[in-house]
Amino acid sequence: MSGIRKPAVILADSMEEYMAPPNPYKNPPKSKLNLLELGRYARRVGKTVDKLTAEEILQFKIG
């Protein structure tokens, strides 16, 4: 095992976009999750974000 965990839900438009290294000279893509509310929800239910299920995460998907 390499020690790298894949997320339960990949919200990138393509696998290439997900696997590509970030370009520091280009604006990042818009977030597809409301991360603030996701973090608040995780704290409220007493879990860390990486322990949330895919269904719980998808509640905070933006458009």
Side-chain angles (χ1 to χ4, degrees), residues 16-44:
E16 292 79 25
E17 178 186 347
Y18 173 73
M19 297 299 290
N23 181 349
Y25 303 107
K26 182 178 159 192
N27 287 333
K30 297 291 183 194
S31 176
K32 293 180 173 72
L33 287 175
N34 185 339
L35 297 175
L36 178 63
E37 291 301 321
L38 179 64
R40 288 179 179 165
Y41 172 79
R43 192 174 308 120
R44 195 169 52 242

Side-chain angles (χ1 to χ4, degrees), residues 46-58:
K47 295 181 179 180
T48 58
V49 174
D50 64 324
K51 301 291 183 197
L52 295 175
T53 64
E55 292 80 25
E56 290 174 310
I57 293 171
L58 288 176

